[in-house]
Amino acid sequence: MTNNDIFKKLRVAHSFRDTDIIKILELVDFRISKTELSAFFRREDHPNYVECGDQILRNFLNGLVIHLRGPMPKKGEKPSGHISAKAKPKKIDLNKTYSKPKKKSN
C-alpha cells in the first residue's frame, strides 16, 4: 500500500474535503495548494498524478492528531483535565452480584 492509498483512505474515512486537509496541514505549519493536493488523489495512470512523499503524509498525520485531540500542553502546564464523554470510565457497582448469562437450549 502506497502513501497515496493511505492518504485516500484517511480522506474517505474522515469525510475530508481539500480545504479540510489544507487546514489540517496548516496546523503543523505545512503549506500546500489545492492543485498540489489534488494530484495525490488522482489515478496512477493520470498524467498529473504525483506520488505522496513520506514528509507530506507524516505532516498530515501529525496535523490530524492535533485536529482530533487538540494541541499538546507545553512543559510545566497541567492538562486541562477535560475528559471527553468517550473517555470517561464506566462506573461499576461493587455491591451488585453478577451472574453468567444462561445458555440457550436448542
Side-chain angles (χ1 to χ4, degrees):
M1 185 176 279
T2 66
N3 287 348
N4 293 60
D5 294 333
I6 294 168
F7 209 177
K8 285 178 194 176
K9 289 183 183 291
L10 286 169
R11 178 185 187 184
V12 170
H14 290 279
S15 304
F16 288 141
R17 297 180 181 261
D18 288 344
T19 54
D20 300 329
I21 294 172
I22 290 169
K23 288 178 185 176
I24 288 171
L25 286 168
E26 286 176 355
L27 292 173
V28 289
D29 297 325
F30 191 87
R31 309 276 185 256
I32 192 168
S33 69
K34 256 187 177 179
T35 52
E36 291 173 317
L37 184 63
S38 67
F40 300 132
F41 302 118
R42 298 185 186 278
R43 291 190 356 217
E44 289 183 34
D45 58 350
H46 193 279
N48 294 338
Y49 170 82
V50 175
E51 283 191 30
C52 178
D54 293 338
Q55 180 185 13
I56 293 169
L57 186 60
R58 181 181 65 242
N59 281 306
F60 174 71
L61 292 172
N62 288 335
L64 186 60
V65 168
I66 293 170
H67 174 74
L68 296 174
R69 292 187 192 166
M72 249 179 112
K74 295 180 181 176
K75 283 189 173 184
E77 285 183 17
K78 290 185 179 180
S80 64
H82 179 277
I83 299 175
S84 68
K86 292 180 184 178
K88 289 183 182 177
K90 291 183 179 179
K91 292 184 179 180
I92 299 173
D93 186 4
L94 298 175
N95 297 326
K96 185 177 178 183
T97 56
Y98 294 95
S99 59
K100 294 182 181 178
K102 294 180 182 179
K103 291 184 180 178
K104 291 182 180 180
S105 59
N106 292 333

